[in-house]
């Protein structure tokens, strides 16, 4: 403490000494406003001197005799020299600052380098605004990919359409249409209306109307040819993930239930096969089964 006090008093009383002291890292500052609190004074000095280079320590005196004095420690002599020349006589809290090189670095720095670095880092942290945190945008998962079409299944479907049962049904439809063409217009209209009414009654009694239902793992297929087999439907639906089983309804032709072990696989099958022409005259309707 005595060495520091002797250094401060010598530098303060003799202006010629400041000129004879060789440049070094540490500046001695006096004639500071003694009414400023120590913490505020150190913060203000840091903000002032840091623009000339990296400040690694600020030591402000706390005693009555040492009030109004401070040491500024730079990491580079060139930076301390630039600050001395630029800030000499600057009005600081209403008083002109007096700057000179400290007599010896060892007399000015009372703390170890580790202590100075720790205190200065804390001072710098209180003088700089905290960086804004960048908000991350929510990641949108990609849509699930559908399985590629099964070429073997496509060939099996073509074979089914060319089968004897399908051809027999197509010939019967063609014969019925030819018969209608031979009828007079009035009789033809009545015949068509009676057929439509009979079909509507049959569908209404045999197959309940399906209402809009929520997604689930069971599908309901309608408008199937009467000769549709379980094996034919299985070839269509087993290409989709999670397929479990096909259930035909005994005594009710043209409908079937298809079970999956997950809703995703059922939804993929529904989107792909709804409206699929399972025969030349039947476009299959696929919906979610009502639970």
């Amino acid at each position: 403490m005595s060495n520091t006090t002797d250094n401060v008093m010598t530098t303060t009383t003799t202006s010629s000494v400041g000129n004879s002291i060789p440049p070094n890292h540490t500046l001695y500052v006096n004639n500071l406003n003694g009414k400023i609190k120590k913490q505020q004074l150190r913060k203000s000095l840091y903000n002032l001197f840091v623009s000339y280079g990296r400040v690694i320590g600020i030591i402000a005196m706390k005693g009555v005799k040492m009030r109004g004095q401070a040491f500024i420690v730079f990491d580079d002599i060139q930076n301390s020299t630039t600050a001395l020349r630029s800030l000499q006589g600057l009005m600081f809290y209403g008083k002109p600052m007096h700057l000179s090189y400290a007599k010896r670095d060892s007399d000015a720095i009372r703390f170890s380098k580790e202590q100075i670095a720790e205190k200065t880092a804390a001072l710098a942290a209180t003088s700089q605004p905290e960086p804004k945190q960048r908000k991350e945008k929510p990641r949108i998962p990609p849509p699930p990919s559908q399985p590629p079409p099964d070429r073997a299944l496509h060939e099996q479907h073509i074979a089914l359409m060319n089968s004897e049962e399908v051809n027999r049904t197509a010939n019967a439809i063609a014969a019925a249409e030819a018969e209608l063409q031979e009828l007079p217009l009035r009789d033809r209209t009545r015949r068509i209306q009676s057929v439509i009414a009979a079909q509507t009654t049959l569908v209404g009694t045999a197959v309940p109307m399906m209402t809009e239902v929520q997604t689930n793992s069971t599908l309901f297929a309608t408008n199937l040819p009467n000769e549709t087999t379980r094996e034919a439907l299985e070839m269509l639906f087993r290409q989709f993930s999670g397929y479990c089983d096909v259930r035909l309804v005994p005594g009710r032709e043209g409908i079937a239930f298809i079970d999956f072990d997950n809703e995703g696989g059922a939804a993929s099958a529904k989107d792909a096969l709804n409206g699929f022409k399972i025969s030349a005259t039947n476009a299959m309707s696929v919906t979610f089964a009502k639970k």
Side-chain angles (χ1 to χ4, degrees), residues 199-209 220 249 251-253 255:
Q199 291 179 345
T200 304
T201 303
L202 178 63
V203 172
T205 56
V207 183
M209 294 298 291
F220 180 61
V249 181
R252 293 188 180 182
E253 297 179 340
I255 65 173

Side-chain angles (χ1 to χ4, degrees), residues 102-223:
K103 187 175 181 181
R104 289 193 305 270
D105 281 349
S106 58
D107 289 337
I109 303 175
R110 295 173 54 197
F111 305 101
S112 65
K113 291 183 180 181
E114 290 78 10
Q115 290 173 319
I116 293 175
E118 181 181 351
K119 291 180 178 294
T120 306
L123 182 61
T126 60
S127 303
Q128 298 177 359
E130 295 183 358
K132 294 183 179 179
Q133 295 183 353
R134 184 177 180 181
K135 295 183 179 179
E136 295 185 359
K137 295 182 179 180
R139 297 182 61 185
I140 302 176
S145 58
Q146 294 187 357
D150 190 341
R151 182 174 181 83
L153 181 64
H154 178 66
E155 294 176 352
Q156 292 171 357
H157 173 65
I158 294 177
L160 177 65
M161 291 181 63
N162 294 327
S163 64
E164 183 178 352
E165 291 82 3
V166 172
N167 290 331
R168 188 184 307 117
T169 302
N171 292 333
I173 293 173
E177 291 179 351
E179 182 183 354
L180 285 176
Q181 293 296 328
E182 297 297 329
L183 295 175
L185 179 60
R186 180 180 300 177
D187 295 340
R188 190 189 310 169
T189 304
R190 290 176 180 176
R191 179 71 175 272
I192 293 174
Q193 290 176 348
S194 64
V195 172
I196 294 175
Q199 291 179 345
T200 304
T201 303
L202 178 63
V203 172
T205 56
V207 183
M209 294 298 291
M210 295 298 294
T211 58
E212 185 68 23
V213 296
Q214 295 182 349
T215 303
N216 59 77
S217 59
T218 301
L219 299 179
F220 180 61
T222 59
N223 199 34

